[in-house]
Amino acid sequence: MATYTGPDDLSGTEFIETNFAGSVFREVDLSGTRIRGALLNGADIDGVIDGLRVNGVEVAPLIEAELDRMYPERTKLRPSTPDDMRTAWETVEAFWAPTMARAELLPEEDLHRSVDGEWSFVQTLRHLVMATDLWFGQAVLGRERPYHPLGLPATFITNGADLGIDMGADPSFAEVVAVRAGRMTEVREFLATVTQEDLDRVREPNAPPGWPSPGPRAASAYLRVIFNEEWAHHSFAVRDLDAMG
């Protein structure tokens, strides 16, 4: 399979009678894309879906409802009160526990193996370290240098080295698990005593370099991003572990 990567900007391009059968679009921006008269037999779409219409029907609410039916724990990950925040984090820890136990039985090389070009299990854990540092360490706690060197940023974050991340790092599973456990403990301890006032207080984003993108948000909004990241990447991790057999 030929591979095309940035910085080509194809926004606004019209593709007519083009054969994309079997193609893979990874980390692409398809916002506002219009597809007409297409064959999508067997297509598999994974991403942030909002406002997508298929044959005139907005599908995002249908997808969310079906995901909630299939995975009822998701309904606990949209909290707004302190007690519900604590329940949400307990839910996160509960669905990760058996998956981590499963991973610990695998050979080290399998934990570093990519399935279909996706992140390995170790890389997924590293990304969640980065996500916690970003949305909790920086956005909620306001730390100026919150990032652990072993964190792994999303591909659209290109200034990882400026943030103190070791972009050439290749840590062991045990090293990453130790860092990840520390981050999870920090969130748990914060939520143990959090008040409604703490959750409702609006945080201004730190000055660049860094994320999230500019815009004041309440701490509760940042925490819900973390819960969503945890659920999504746990789903990816389980999918890939199942594929390894």
Side-chain angles (χ1 to χ4, degrees):
M1 178 183 290
T3 300
Y4 298 91
T5 59
D8 290 345
D9 183 353
L10 300 178
S11 58
T13 302
E14 184 176 12
F15 299 95
I16 301 175
E17 296 185 4
T18 304
N19 187 355
F20 289 110
S23 298
V24 176
F25 298 90
R26 194 185 309 278
E27 303 293 337
V28 296
D29 185 352
L30 295 174
S31 301
T33 298
R34 291 174 294 160
I35 301 175
R36 301 287 185 266
L39 297 178
L40 289 171
N41 299 323
D44 185 0
I45 300 174
D46 183 314
V48 178
I49 299 173
D50 183 24
L52 174 65
R53 292 181 176 274
V54 177
N55 291 338
V57 178
E58 184 174 355
V59 299
L62 306 178
I63 294 170
E64 290 298 303
E66 179 62 9
L67 287 172
D68 286 349
R69 186 194 67 80
M70 295 171 61
Y71 308 103
E73 70 273 14
R74 280 169 42 96
T75 62
K76 299 178 181 179
L77 303 181
R78 304 161 192 148
S80 57
T81 68
D83 284 343
D84 287 347
M85 287 281 172
R86 288 185 275 272
T87 297
W89 192 247
E90 289 169 1
T91 301
V92 168
E93 293 189 315
F95 61 62
W96 268 109
T99 303
M100 293 301 297
R102 177 183 178 185
E104 288 167 359
L105 298 176
L106 296 175
E108 181 79 14
E109 57 268 26
D110 282 354
L111 298 170
H112 292 267
R113 178 150 57 103
S114 170
V115 176
D116 293 333
E118 302 291 343
W119 278 335
S120 68
F121 191 85
V122 168
Q123 288 174 316
T124 294
L125 296 183
R126 290 177 60 198
H127 176 68
L128 289 172
V129 168
M130 165 71 183
T132 306
D133 288 345
L134 191 164
W135 294 103
F136 179 67
Q138 176 168 303
V140 175
L141 300 183
R143 292 173 178 163
E144 292 185 7
R145 301 291 289 181
Y147 299 103
H148 193 282
L150 297 186
L152 183 63
T155 55
F156 60 82
I157 297 179
T158 58
N159 63 332
D162 296 336
L163 303 176
I165 295 172
D166 182 357
M167 300 304 292
D170 186 23
S172 68
F173 174 63
E175 289 175 310
V176 175
V177 167
V179 176
R180 164 90 164 137
R183 294 307 195 257
M184 295 185 79
T185 297
E186 281 194 320
V187 175
R188 186 188 319 118
E189 291 178 346
F190 173 82
L191 293 177
T193 59
V194 76
T195 66
Q196 192 66 53
E197 182 181 4
D198 294 330
L199 295 175
D200 294 341
R201 185 180 303 121
V202 172
R203 269 74 166 171
E204 293 289 344
N206 288 358
W211 296 79
S213 56
R217 302 177 182 87
S220 56
Y222 291 124
L223 290 164
R224 284 191 291 269
V225 172
I226 296 174
F227 302 148
N228 183 67
E229 284 280 304
E230 291 283 349
W231 187 86
H233 287 284
H234 176 262
S235 299
F236 302 152
V238 170
R239 174 200 64 196
D240 293 345
L241 288 176
D242 289 345
M244 284 192 274

